[in-house]
């Protein structure tokens, strides 16, 4: 618990000093992963299909955090 508490404090300290303008948009965004018991933790925009890359490989992943700049909202 002490390590988690220290990590959270450091994250909050860094966030309070961040002037980049980026804001969180999606958490636990995944594609190509089966959503099981932890279904509630995946972002609602997650998809069960893998992404087909131009090199003809399937790509399966989960992204912890997707951030955006508010000016980018115009181009959703």
């Amino acid at each position: 618990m002490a390590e988690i508490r220290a990590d959270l404090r450091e994250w909050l300290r860094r966030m309070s000093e961040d002037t980049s303008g980026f804001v969180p948009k999606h958490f636990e965004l995944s594609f190509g992963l089966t959503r099981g018991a932890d279904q509630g933790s995946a972002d609602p925009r997650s998809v069960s299909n893998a992404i087909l890359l131009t090199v003809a490989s399937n790509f399966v992943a989960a992204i912890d955090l997707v951030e955006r700049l508010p000016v980018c909202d115009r181009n959703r």
Side-chain angles (χ1 to χ4, degrees), residues 4 7-8 12 16 26-27 32-34 44 49 53 59 61 63-64 66:
I4 294 172
D7 285 346
L8 180 57
L12 288 171
S16 70
H26 301 290
F27 297 94
L33 299 175
T34 304
N49 296 333
L53 301 175
F59 190 67
I63 303 168
D64 292 334
V66 176

Side-chain angles (χ1 to χ4, degrees), residues 41-61:
S41 66
D43 191 279
R45 291 192 176 226
S46 294
V47 294
S48 58
N49 296 333
I51 294 174
L52 180 60
L53 301 175
T54 58
V55 292
S57 297
N58 288 332
F59 190 67
V60 176

Side-chain angles (χ1 to χ4, degrees), residues 2-31:
E3 287 180 27
I4 294 172
R5 187 176 297 119
D7 285 346
L8 180 57
R9 283 186 180 142
E10 179 63 16
W11 180 80
L12 288 171
R13 185 192 65 74
R14 289 182 185 199
M15 291 301 296
S16 70
E17 297 171 354
D18 184 1
T19 60
S20 69
F22 283 95
V23 295
K25 183 165 182 161
H26 301 290
F27 297 94
E28 299 299 326
L29 183 65
S30 64
F31 40 93

Side-chain angles (χ1 to χ4, degrees), residues 2 37 46 68-69:
S46 294
R68 64 171 172 76
L69 282 173

